[in-house]
Amino acid sequence: VATFLTAWTVVSPPEAREQRIFDQETGTVSTDIQCESNSDGWRLVNLSVQVILLLLSVFLAFQTRDVMQQLNESISLAIMCYSQFVFMIMTGVCTFLYVY
């Protein structure tokens, strides 16, 4: 993770983007400053790594389904896979709504 974030910062350093919003009712100007990268490729790499890890965990849960009951962790792995998938979908929807 640290290597990925360091590479991201070195190759495509984040830049501040300032947006001024004028409120006509109060006559005030509010400033919204966001730090963002110019390349969307880094988000794609991050998402790809998460999908690969999720698929590997689903495979591991599938492989451990026939293990002795004392060692069987397929149910807990399946629950973690499901919750991670739901969080990935929610993150994708929020990112899509924020960007577009």
Side-chain angles (χ1 to χ4, degrees), residues 2 6 13 16 29 38 42 47-48 58 61 72-75 85 92 100:
T6 303
V29 176
N38 292 330
W42 297 100
L47 180 64
S48 300
V58 168
N72 193 352
E73 296 179 355
S74 62
I75 294 173
F85 177 73
Y100 302 105

Side-chain angles (χ1 to χ4, degrees), residues 5 9-10 14 25 27 44 48 50 58 78 80 85 88 95-96 99:
L5 293 176
T9 303
V10 169
E25 293 179 8
L44 182 62
S48 300
Q50 287 184 10
V58 168
M80 285 188 277
F85 177 73
M88 285 176 61
T95 303
F96 179 78
V99 172

Side-chain angles (χ1 to χ4, degrees), residues 29-96:
V29 176
S30 60
T31 303
D32 181 30
I33 300 175
Q34 297 176 353
C35 189
E36 60 186 30
S37 177
N38 292 330
S39 175
D40 289 333
W42 297 100
R43 287 191 184 117
L44 182 62
V45 169
N46 186 21
L47 180 64
S48 300
V49 169
Q50 287 184 10
V51 167
I52 289 169
L53 289 175
L54 182 63
L55 291 175
L56 289 174
S57 63
V58 168
F59 177 74
L60 183 62
F62 181 75
Q63 288 294 320
T64 60
R65 72 187 188 286
D66 294 328
V67 177
M68 295 184 335
Q69 187 62 32
Q70 292 84 5
L71 303 174
N72 193 352
E73 296 179 355
S74 62
I75 294 173
S76 60
L77 279 172
I79 290 172
M80 285 188 277
C81 293
Y82 175 74
S83 63
Q84 180 66 23
F85 177 73
V86 169
F87 289 137
M88 285 176 61
I89 295 297
M90 289 172 33
T91 302
V93 168
C94 290
T95 303
F96 179 78

